[in-house]
């Protein structure tokens, strides 16, 4: 369990993180989202003991990053947004070097490196120079490095940044596998569709402040309005009057005489009620669909206030 | 319990020795040292009308030239190599990964220092055949060789630690190298300048500068070239371990200049190491 306890970080007069306060359950995959400068990387750097908080604390299973940073470092695997490269080093040597840095016994090291290269599907690149790896391969190797000491918590800063679609899909599959293994994963990304696929929980930050934190399902269902697309076989003026006077309607956008987009409050029952009313008024409905609530829309709604 | 070699040291040596740069640096070093020694040998040979064989002075001159040239090159190379190390990690964006690993600040700093020292040691070892040739000429004994190597090692350690310290302060290798070189060259050229000018100025106000001279001599002991010169002179006066100063009629016996110099270098090196470790300790820095 990761506990952010009124965590605050100032850089001079600039407040990068302002009282982050939330608890992440063990085994959760948590997406950290927000506009640039929202405090995502600062939160991660605080958790990984790279910087000290101005006030507040963050702890993993009760171990504070400020009081016992050396213990916290054993519990976290950190993957920064950039892949640092050492020249003249093969992929296996790269992992071997970091395995030494984590004091992994020499007897278990070769097997561990083989297993990790297998996990990230880089066995064929074992003796390839790290510098020669593609961006996707480098990211997977970086993830393997973060897993060397079998950490409970993975902190991944923009892992999908700059990856091509195939590499993104492969990385996503890998993260699903790690989630299934029970790892707690904290991941920041601007690719919200990836996060929607991966995450169990979401933290939304803006200007250093926590604006939302909940499970993904709860956040999506808490969305205040939905968009209904109604298409008719022929122009039907009665439809406009009907939806305009419908109780839950916020706005109506008649894009074509046969095509309306209705912004409405209310739940699934309200949506069913609108469809029923259309049928009762003999409106020749050809299509009636609700646009799925997306993380993008939730994000836009939640963060709209501060920017 | 089996204790592993410092991983930073292994990685640095592996990375350094796999590049052609390491080979060309070695070639350049040996060419410069051997070339200078050859010039001095030729000049000495010609000035002694071809009577070089068995001439102790020529052997000693060539030996001293080799040592001083090697020291001069290492005075530049050691801080430059060290200064690029931590700042290079920052530039490559690998430094955070080291800080979040189980390595202590001490392991990181010592790994970097040892890697630079190991490469400098390689350069010194590579010039062994050249040193051996001066023994054939005579005028050099093993004790002198060990003392000169001790002075070089202490100075290389000092300059390396200076480079490492600046490396922890700068964000780019270029900045670190600039500050490290400025510090080392300031020390090499500035210290003698101060040692000459301050007693002269002092003498205008006080008649007796003996104390100041003694202090200046002790202060200058950490200067590798001055320590080498004093040591060479002292060895020929059979004063290897001690030297005598006379202050207001009182004779005081002090350890030899090279011993004082080595101790001073160690103390300053330790200060640089402690300062460097404090700089990179994650929970202390960049707040």
């Amino acid at each position: 369990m990761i506990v952010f306890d009124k965590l605050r970080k100032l850089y001079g007069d600039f407040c990068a993180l302002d009282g982050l306060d939330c608890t992440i359950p063990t085994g959760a995959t948590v997406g950290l989202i927000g506009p640039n400068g929202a405090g995502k990387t600062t939160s991660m750097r605080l958790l990984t003991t790279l910087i000290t908080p101005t006030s507040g604390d963050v702890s993993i299973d009760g171990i504070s990053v400020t009081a016992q940073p050396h213990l916290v470092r054993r519990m976290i695997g950190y993957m920064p947004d950039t892949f640092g490269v050492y020249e003249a080093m093969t992929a296996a040597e790269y992992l071997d070097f970091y395995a030494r840095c984590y004091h992994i016994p020499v007897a278990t090291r070769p097997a561990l490196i083989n297993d990790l290269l297998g996990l990230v599907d880089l066995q064929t690149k074992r003796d390839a120079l790290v510098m020669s790896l593609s961006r996707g391969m480098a990211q997977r190797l970086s993830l393997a490095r973060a897993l060397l000491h079998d950490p409970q918590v993975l902190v991944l800063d923009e892992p999908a940044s700059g990856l091509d679609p195939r590499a993104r899909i492969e990385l996503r599959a890998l993260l699903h596998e790690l989630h299934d293994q029970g790892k707690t994963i904290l991941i920041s990304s601007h690719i919200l569709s990836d996060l929607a696929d991966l995450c169990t929980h979401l933290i939304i930050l803006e200007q250093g402040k926590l604006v939302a934190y909940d499970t993904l399902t709860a956040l999506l269902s808490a969305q205040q309005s939905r968009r209904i697309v109604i298409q008719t076989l022929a122009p039907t003026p009665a439809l406009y009057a009907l939806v305009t006077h419908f109780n839950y309607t916020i706005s109506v956008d008649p894009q074509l005489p046969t095509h309306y987009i209705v912004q409405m409050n209310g739940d699934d029952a309200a949506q069913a009620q609108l469809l029923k009313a259309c049928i009762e008024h003999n409106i020749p409905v050809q299509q009636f669909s609700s646009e799925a609530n997306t993380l993008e829309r939730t994000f836009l709604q939640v963060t709209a206030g501060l920017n | 319990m089996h204790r592993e070699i410092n991983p930073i040291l292994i990685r640095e040596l592996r990375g350094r020795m796999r590049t052609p740069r390491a080979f060309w640096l070695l070639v350049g070093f040996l060419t410069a040292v051997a070339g200078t020694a050859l010039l001095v040998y030729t000049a000495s040979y010609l000035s002694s009308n071809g009577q070089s064989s068995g001439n102790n002075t020529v052997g000693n001159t060539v030996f001293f030239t080799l040592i001083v040239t090697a020291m001069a090159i290492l005075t530049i190379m050691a801080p430059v190599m060290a200064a690029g190390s931590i700042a290079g990690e920052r530039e490559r964006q690998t430094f955070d990964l080291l800080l979040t690993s189980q390595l202590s600040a001490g392991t990181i700093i010592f790994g970097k220092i040892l890697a630079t020292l190991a490469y400098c040691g390689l350069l010194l070892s590579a010039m062994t055949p050249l040193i051996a040739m001066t023994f054939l000429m005579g005028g050099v004994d093993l004790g002198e060789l060990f003392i000169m190597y001790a002075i070089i090692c202490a100075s290389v350690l000092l300059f390396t630690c200076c480079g490492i310290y600046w490396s922890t302060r700068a964000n780019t290798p270029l900045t670190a190298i600039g500050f490290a070189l400025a510090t080392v060259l300031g020390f090499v050229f500035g210290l003698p300048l101060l040692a000459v000018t301050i007693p002269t100025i002092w003498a205008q106000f006080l008649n007796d500068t003996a104390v100041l001279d003694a202090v200046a001599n002790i202060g200058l002991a950490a200067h590798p070239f001055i320590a080498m010169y004093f040591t060479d002179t002292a060895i020929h006066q059979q004063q290897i371990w001690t030297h005598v100063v006379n202050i207001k009629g009182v004779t005081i016996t002090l350890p030899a200049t090279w011993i004082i110099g080595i101790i001073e270098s160690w103390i300053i090196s330790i200060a640089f190491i402690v300062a460097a470790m404090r700089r990179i300790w994650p929970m202390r820095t960049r707040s």
Side-chain angles (χ1 to χ4, degrees):
Chain A
M1 189 164 68
I2 304 170
V3 179
F4 291 94
D5 181 17
K6 299 180 183 64
L7 194 61
R8 187 175 158 85
K9 179 66 185 173
L10 294 173
Y11 291 103
D13 292 334
F14 175 70
C15 185
L17 198 63
D18 192 3
L20 178 60
D21 200 87
C22 62
T23 301
I24 296 170
T26 303
T29 298
V30 183
L32 199 54
I33 58 177
N36 289 331
K40 304 185 294 291
T41 299
T42 300
S43 313
M44 290 187 155
R45 290 178 70 82
L46 286 163
L47 180 61
T48 52
T49 75
L50 287 169
I51 51 175
T52 47
T54 307
S55 64
D57 201 359
V58 53
S59 61
I60 301 175
D61 289 346
I63 298 170
S64 156
V65 297
T66 50
Q68 293 172 300
H70 56 291
L71 292 181
V72 169
R73 281 181 216 128
R74 275 188 208 162
M75 302 166 84
I76 52 165
Y78 176 49
M79 183 175 162
D81 55 346
T82 49
F83 179 70
V85 180
Y86 291 115
E87 55 183 315
M89 195 180 235
T90 66
E93 286 169 349
Y94 178 83
L95 292 181
D96 183 70
F97 166 61
Y98 283 104
R100 287 168 190 267
C101 293
Y102 281 101
H103 307 317
I104 291 165
V106 65
T108 56
R109 233 181 275 153
L112 175 68
I113 290 169
N114 266 341
D115 289 350
L116 284 173
L117 285 173
L119 178 73
V120 297
D121 200 18
L122 284 176
Q123 273 165 324
T124 55
K125 296 291 178 183
R126 182 189 169 82
D127 297 319
L129 287 177
V130 170
M131 290 172 74
S132 69
L133 298 180
S134 68
R135 170 88 182 161
M137 289 175 183
Q139 288 296 79
R140 296 209 304 273
L141 183 64
S142 185
L143 187 57
R145 180 198 49 71
L147 290 166
L148 271 166
H149 55 301
D150 193 22
Q152 299 166 32
V153 178
L154 282 172
V155 181
L156 315 176
D157 195 359
E158 300 279 356
S161 154
L163 297 187
D164 61 41
R166 173 176 285 277
R168 263 174 57 196
I169 292 164
E170 286 169 352
L171 185 70
R172 230 164 42 208
L174 202 53
L175 293 178
H176 273 300
E177 199 173 325
L178 292 170
H179 172 72
D180 294 342
Q181 288 175 15
K183 306 275 184 207
T184 305
I185 303 173
L186 188 64
I187 176 171
S188 84
S189 179
H190 287 301
I191 306 167
L192 300 186
S193 55
D194 280 359
L195 292 182
D197 179 56
L198 280 169
C199 295
T200 56
H201 293 66
L202 279 176
I203 292 175
I204 303 179
L205 295 170
E206 192 171 29
Q207 292 183 356
K209 289 187 170 67
L210 177 70
V211 289
Y213 171 59
D214 212 330
T215 61
L216 180 69
T217 321
L219 274 174
L220 292 180
S221 60
Q223 201 170 301
Q224 290 170 344
S225 66
R226 59 180 68 192
R227 277 154 58 97
I228 309 289
V229 177
I230 305 173
Q231 200 168 336
T232 54
L233 280 174
T236 317
L239 178 61
Y240 184 77
L242 175 69
V243 293
T244 306
H245 294 104
F246 187 64
N247 279 345
Y248 299 101
T249 299
I250 299 168
S251 64
V252 182
D253 178 14
Q255 297 204 320
L256 290 169
T258 58
H259 192 109
Y260 291 76
I261 291 180
V262 182
Q263 193 80 32
M264 62 175 284
N265 286 319
D267 52 12
D268 290 346
Q271 189 182 323
Q273 202 179 327
L274 178 61
L275 178 60
K276 187 181 172 194
C278 289
I279 292 164
E280 283 171 357
H281 285 78
N282 293 320
I283 292 166
V285 175
Q286 183 199 358
Q287 184 194 342
F288 186 96
S289 60
S290 167
E291 282 187 357
N293 292 344
T294 61
L295 188 52
E296 281 89 349
R297 289 183 60 209
T298 304
F299 175 71
L300 287 174
Q301 280 184 6
V302 172
T303 58
L306 290 174
N307 271 344
Chain B
M1 190 182 137
H2 175 67
R3 192 169 169 81
E4 278 207 74
I5 300 169
N6 186 316
I8 301 287
L9 172 64
I10 293 175
R11 199 214 65 73
E12 287 282 321
L13 290 180
R14 193 179 267 168
R16 189 167 285 161
M17 298 312 291
R18 278 184 183 171
T19 58
R21 197 166 52 231
F23 171 75
W24 288 115
L25 273 175
L26 182 60
V27 169
F29 174 79
L30 287 177
T31 307
V33 170
T36 312
L38 186 64
L39 278 176
V40 171
Y41 174 76
T42 307
S44 300
Y45 179 81
L46 293 175
S47 65
S48 60
N49 299 318
Q51 300 299 311
S52 74
S53 181
N55 187 337
N56 288 355
T57 310
V58 174
N60 189 261
T61 306
V62 173
F63 170 76
F64 203 69
T65 305
L66 282 170
I67 292 293
V68 169
T69 310
M71 186 67 246
I73 295 170
L74 292 175
T75 297
I76 303 293
M77 277 182 69
V80 167
M81 282 195 291
S85 56
I86 303 275
E89 296 274 2
R90 282 211 183 96
E91 194 175 59
R92 282 193 299 268
Q93 296 176 312
T94 48
F95 195 50
D96 284 351
L97 300 180
L98 293 183
L99 293 181
T100 53
S101 75
Q102 289 294 295
L103 295 181
S104 64
T107 308
I108 296 172
I109 294 292
F110 279 111
K112 297 287 184 186
I113 289 173
L114 288 174
T116 304
L117 292 182
Y119 190 72
C120 293
L122 172 71
L123 297 182
L124 286 175
S125 308
M127 67 177 230
T128 304
L130 296 171
I131 296 287
M133 283 166 62
T134 63
F135 277 80
L136 297 176
M137 297 173 197
V140 185
D141 64 46
L142 214 53
E144 187 176 7
L145 175 71
F146 282 127
I147 292 171
M148 291 300 178
Y149 264 62
I151 293 171
I152 292 179
C153 290
S155 300
V156 168
L157 173 68
L158 172 62
F159 298 154
T160 300
C161 292
C162 172
I164 288 286
Y165 170 72
W166 282 114
S167 193
T168 60
R169 292 205 63 123
N171 284 325
T172 65
L174 205 61
T175 314
I177 288 169
F179 279 110
L181 274 182
T183 309
V184 169
L185 295 180
F187 173 75
V188 169
F189 293 109
L191 199 62
L193 187 69
L194 289 177
V196 170
T197 53
I198 289 177
T200 309
I201 296 166
W202 187 281
Q204 298 298 313
F205 303 101
L206 291 170
N207 290 328
D208 192 354
T209 59
V211 175
L212 191 66
D213 283 342
V215 171
N217 281 340
I218 292 170
L220 283 171
H223 192 289
F225 300 104
I226 292 173
M228 282 173 174
Y229 173 75
F230 282 167
T231 303
D232 193 52
T233 310
I235 285 170
H236 290 116
Q237 294 168 355
Q238 302 298 313
Q239 289 185 324
I240 295 177
W241 300 102
T242 57
H243 81 276
V244 176
V245 291
N246 195 312
I247 301 173
K248 293 179 180 176
V250 180
T251 304
I252 300 171
T253 303
L254 294 171
T257 306
W258 65 272
I259 297 174
I260 296 173
I262 287 172
I263 293 169
E264 285 175 357
S265 295
W266 282 351
I267 292 170
I268 304 170
S269 299
I270 290 167
F272 273 129
I273 290 170
V274 171
M277 282 167 61
R278 286 170 65 89
R279 285 289 307 173
I280 68 161
W281 198 245
M283 296 308 285
R284 289 185 52 86
T285 58
R286 293 168 309 203
S287 55

